[in-house]
Amino acid sequence: MASAAEQLARNLSFSTFSKAKELQKRILFTLGALLVYRIGTYIPIPGIDPDAFASTFQQAQGGIFGLFNMFAGGAVERLAIFALNLIPYITASIVIQVMSSASPKLEALKKEGESGRRKLNQYTRYLTVVFCAVQAYGIAIGLEASEGVVADPGWFFRISTIITLVGGTMFLMWLGEQITARGVGNGISLIIFAGIVASLPGTIAQTLELSRTGSLPTVAVVAILIAAIAIIGVIVFFERAQRRLLIQYPKRQVGNKMYQGDTSHLPLKLNTAGVIPVIFASSLLLLPATIATFSAQGDAPQWLQIISAVLGRGQPLYLAFFAFMIIFFAFFYTSIVFNPTETADNLKRSGGFIPGIRPGERTAQHIDYVLTRITVVGAIYLTIVALIPEVFLSQLNISAFLGGTSLLIIVTVTLDTVSQIQSHLIAQQYEGMVKKSRLGGRRR
């Protein structure tokens, strides 16, 4: 039998949306914030020659630049104020989360509730500034090493570049938090999503142009199209897949009547971590690789040039690191967002139990066992979707915008945002039903 929430979801209509004024305001705020972000990707940092940098970028966009440009929404090829995007913030978040699991002091902050979360967010912001400054300094040095890109090399240009790029990332971080609080969906994911979607039409046009000129076989273009459709279907299937654990509740007596115990399900998503592992893995790879790639363009040390080469897009070491980090963060992030012990305690307090499993610790162990097994499948799915297209597209020298990572982010963020919109509409419809029932009761 369908749940009340599922029945409400089926009854949603345009009239329900037209009445949801609060949801409309949230959607408009989200679109306005994303528009501000897109405008910022066209404002270049001061002191550079755009034409000279465009020539430098064209020579390197097939490598790690292409992937970084994808996450930055095209801001890297224009060397805009948002060129670093949210990569330093995501990297800082990873470091703080890992440290909070290893450090007793930070772990205690996590358990303090809202006040502890605010302190951890503040530490994340401080670390973001450090990562931004280091990465921006490396970019400034790399730009000075590229002939003709910087009009007036020196410390003034380096400091102004650091201030501009750090300020751009901090503004995006604040904008993402505002979208999450006052808009619809996860702000950080939506900003990355907006950058990828905005660049897709140009990437598709570029691919078709390569086919027209004969640089890319028509068969390859058709194969890419079919593969993209197949990947989207696979992503939708796995993102909606669940392992439902049967939960039973004991019989209860009300007066002289004995009521049959209810049954429900505890849904465990096959991919509990969502797109976060792929974004985290990409962010950690981009931080050292970007600095190495910029610096290797000048008179860089031999070891730095080697790092730039082995961490290039499609290289075996790059793919190995990428796969390892996706699997690691799939398990790590799942352990953060889902606590089997807490879930088992909640079931025990409410009188629910899994048939054949003793309530309490045994239930927690069973949930953890099931969650670990399905997370293995989810991690393998994420790795395959992210890596296999990456291998083929790097061999064809096609933009990373058509890769599995971009499709994974687009589909996952879309499903999550639509789910949140639906939740708002269900809440709106439920409130309307409650008001009608109250009015009907008063009339009687």
Side-chain angles (χ1 to χ4, degrees), residues 101-122:
S101 300
S103 170
K105 183 178 179 181
L106 293 179
E107 189 174 1
L109 283 177
K110 285 176 62 177
K111 297 178 180 179
E112 288 183 6
E114 185 65 23
S115 61
R117 189 181 64 83
R118 288 176 182 174
K119 290 181 181 179
L120 287 176
N121 286 342
Q122 198 64 26

Side-chain angles (χ1 to χ4, degrees), residues 67-404:
L67 188 60
F68 197 95
N69 193 44
M70 179 190 76
F71 280 100
V76 174
E77 63 181 318
R78 294 182 285 272
L79 207 60
I81 58 175
F82 292 158
L84 289 182
N85 203 264
L86 289 163
I87 302 301
Y89 172 70
I90 296 172
T91 307
S93 300
I94 298 168
V95 173
I96 293 298
Q97 287 182 4
V98 172
M99 290 178 62
S100 63
S101 300
S103 170
K105 183 178 179 181
L106 293 179
E107 189 174 1
L109 283 177
K110 285 176 62 177
K111 297 178 180 179
E112 288 183 6
E114 185 65 23
S115 61
R117 189 181 64 83
R118 288 176 182 174
K119 290 181 181 179
L120 287 176
N121 286 342
Q122 198 64 26
Y123 293 156
T124 303
R125 294 186 182 97
Y126 294 149
L127 193 58
T128 300
V129 173
V130 175
F131 283 154
C132 278
V134 172
Q135 203 164 353
Y137 178 76
I139 290 174
I141 296 296
L143 290 173
E144 289 182 347
S146 302
E147 185 177 354
V149 174
V150 180
D152 186 18
W155 276 106
F156 180 78
F157 169 76
R158 297 173 192 174
I159 293 174
S160 65
T161 300
I162 292 173
I163 293 174
T164 303
L165 293 179
V166 170
T169 297
M170 299 307 290
F171 175 78
L172 280 185
M173 183 182 68
W174 174 83
L175 192 65
E177 292 175 350
Q178 295 302 307
I179 293 175
T180 302
R182 302 171 59 186
V184 177
N186 182 285
I188 305 300
S189 299
L190 278 173
I191 287 175
I192 297 175
F193 165 86
I196 296 174
V197 170
S199 302
L200 269 179
T203 303
I204 294 173
Q206 182 183 6
T207 304
L208 294 177
E209 179 63 20
L210 290 175
S211 175
R212 188 186 67 82
T213 57
S215 302
L216 187 66
T218 305
V219 177
V221 176
V222 175
I224 291 171
L225 177 62
I226 295 174
I229 295 174
I231 290 172
I232 291 173
V234 168
I235 293 171
V236 172
F237 173 78
F238 276 94
E239 290 301 322
R240 290 185 175 275
Q242 293 180 347
R243 171 72 162 88
R244 293 190 173 189
L245 298 180
L246 179 64
I247 306 296
Q248 288 187 346
Y249 293 90
K251 297 179 181 180
R252 53 195 176 91
Q253 184 173 359
V254 179
N256 295 325
K257 291 185 178 181
M258 180 68 71
Y259 290 90
Q260 184 67 31
D262 295 331
T263 60
S264 64
H265 292 88
L266 175 64
L268 300 177
K269 287 190 64 177
L270 186 68
N271 179 29
T272 306
V275 74
I276 296 298
V278 177
I279 296 178
F280 278 11
S282 302
S283 303
L284 284 184
L285 274 177
L286 289 174
L287 181 62
T290 306
I291 299 174
T293 304
F294 269 115
S295 302
Q297 294 177 19
D299 297 328
Q302 183 68 25
W303 62 271
L304 197 56
Q305 296 182 22
I306 293 174
I307 291 177
S308 178
V310 298
L311 288 180
R313 182 184 173 209
Q315 296 300 316
L317 188 60
Y318 168 82
L319 296 174
F321 273 129
F322 198 18
F324 170 77
M325 284 191 287
I326 288 175
I327 295 172
F328 170 77
F329 284 117
F331 281 92
F332 176 74
Y333 198 74
T334 298
S335 67
I336 291 177
V337 299
F338 192 94
N339 189 333
T341 303
E342 184 179 341
T343 303
D345 290 341
N346 291 335
L347 285 175
K348 187 176 180 179
R349 282 194 293 268
S350 61
F353 63 94
I354 299 175
I357 306 296
R358 185 179 300 171
E361 185 179 350
R362 293 293 298 275
T363 298
Q365 292 174 355
H366 178 73
I367 294 174
D368 183 62
Y369 172 73
V370 174
L371 187 64
T372 301
R373 293 182 68 184
I374 64 176
T375 303
V376 170
V377 180
I380 293 173
Y381 139 72
L382 286 176
T383 305
I384 292 175
V385 168
L387 258 64
I388 288 183
E390 188 73 25
V391 174
F392 287 105
L393 294 184
S394 62
Q395 297 298 322
L396 295 173
N397 199 26
I398 297 176
S399 173
F401 286 98
L402 295 177

